[in-house]
Amino acid sequence: MKETDPQAPKIEFPCPNYPIKVMGDNVPHYSRVVIEIIERHAPGFDQAIIRESISRNGRFVSLTMEITATGTAQLQAMFDDLKGTGLVKMVL
């Protein structure tokens, strides 16, 4: 019997309209910090369509946006910078 490894779907780069959801602490400067990092890694993304959602208890906030993903190196660097803020709890 041969075991097969499930593989994640392949993404073709560049990938326009790539969704990014960033969840973290609801502090006054959270959105500004996240947007600055996303802009650094995906310059010119459409900030007008950012969706913000605050958790029921108000402790956390999520920002959902779309970028043009250019490759895994870009996505990994973005993830590392976001997590490095100490504010971001999860990136999807």
Side-chain angles (χ1 to χ4, degrees), residues 13-22 34-35 37-47 49-50 64-71 74-76 78-79 82:
F13 296 106
C15 181
N17 305 317
Y18 186 87
I20 302 280
K21 185 172 195 170
V22 185
V34 169
I35 291 168
I37 291 170
I38 300 295
E39 180 65 33
R40 186 178 327 133
H41 294 281
F45 82 99
D46 189 356
Q47 295 182 26
I49 61 170
I50 295 173
T64 305
M65 62 216 80
E66 294 178 355
I67 66 165
T68 296
T70 59
Q74 173 209 32
L75 296 174
Q76 186 63 54
M78 186 183 310
F79 173 83
L82 288 166

Side-chain angles (χ1 to χ4, degrees), residues 48-84:
I49 61 170
I50 295 173
R51 292 181 310 275
E52 180 177 288
S53 179
I54 298 175
S55 66
R56 194 174 305 152
N57 65 7
R59 185 172 172 206
F60 300 104
V61 64
S62 71
L63 297 176
T64 305
M65 62 216 80
E66 294 178 355
I67 66 165
T68 296
T70 59
T72 56
Q74 173 209 32
L75 296 174
Q76 186 63 54
M78 186 183 310
F79 173 83
D80 292 343
D81 285 354
L82 288 166
K83 291 296 282 185

